[in-house]
Amino acid sequence: YFRRAIDAAKSSSEFDMDEILVLESNHLLVLGQQDRVVRMLFEGIKRYPQSAALNRALALLQSRRGDLVGALRTVDMMQAAQVDPLPSIMLRKELLCEADRYDDAVKLLEDVLAREDLADPVSLQLELAWLYMQRANWPQARRWLEASRKANPEDMRTTEVLSELAWCTEDWELLEQCESALRAVEGTYGPLWRTFRIRRLLAQSNAGSEKASQAQAEVDNLARQLEVLYPHMQQTRIAAGRVATYRGLMRRAVANYEEAWELGLPRVSLAVDLISLLNELGESDRAQRYVREVRRFLSATQAVVDQSFLELANESADEAVRMAESLVADAPRSESYVRLGRT
């Protein structure tokens, strides 16, 4: 069916042919036909030299075949052929990270951000912040995120990443600021600020807050609001799972996490929580089902040369492990080691 769909798309004028070629290359890579894909991508770039999708696919494949020099050369050609430098900058950063050259990736982004002619500095600032977070350099990450938020106060991307930093560093005051910023953008009925607030209130209750009972009542109210307003959103079910876990209702938590699993793309963080709960309940067979599912999913995505087509955002296995490792390095508490071991 997929082969027929690709052939039909090639004969249609409604689709961008370069992106169709990338989809076809991903399909062939899953089938193990790397040499054929390399030839196809080189031919595609000859026809569409300005295609960010084709150049990106070729550079990533070259890198994963051990040819970093060739991959960076492809990025150079891509940069020379394009008007917008952002895609080639992002790709170069990604290749450097894959080669464990994080310092070079940081320097690349900082040098670019020092220029004043950038059309989209926010994307680069977020990428730089993530790099610093994965190295447990929280002050530098926060510095770039605060600068981005100051320049673009209504950009939800910055606030979301800043809230993740606040969660990792247990900076509840900052996380509360992020909630307020998201609420100002989303409005009273928005979902994201509610999920962040639930997460913060639960953590503060666990920390022995004097207003624990009041916070628990608010958490229940926020969870009910999400159920009414966004009953089929994955984050609603994840929030319900967290509330149930906090109250010791493990089977209810599992039910919510399983429903969340069915509502969206597999998420590494969700898999970690669901599998660990099932193991605690002695449901090893059910836990192994999700272990197999996430392994199959990650195995398939590793075969696909350009995982951005899958919209995985910041949920890749490698990034989840790096974040868990950075938490252990920065704050070697028992729960940090538990998170790393589970991941």
Side-chain angles (χ1 to χ4, degrees), residues 182 200 219:
L182 280 173
R200 177 179 62 81
V219 162

Side-chain angles (χ1 to χ4, degrees), residues 56 60 68 72 75 86-110 112 123-124 126-131 134 314 319 322:
R56 175 181 169 81
L60 289 173
L68 180 61
L72 293 174
V75 178
L86 184 61
S88 60
I89 293 168
M90 292 292 205
L91 179 54
R92 192 182 301 275
K93 182 275 304 181
E94 190 171 342
L95 293 172
L96 291 171
C97 289
E98 282 197 357
D100 290 328
R101 291 170 53 180
Y102 287 95
D103 291 341
D104 291 336
V106 167
K107 185 177 186 305
L108 167 70
L109 295 183
E110 288 187 336
V112 172
S123 295
L124 293 171
L126 293 179
E127 290 294 328
L128 183 56
W130 273 114
L131 283 179
Q134 289 168 19
N314 296 302
E319 287 179 332
R322 283 200 295 269

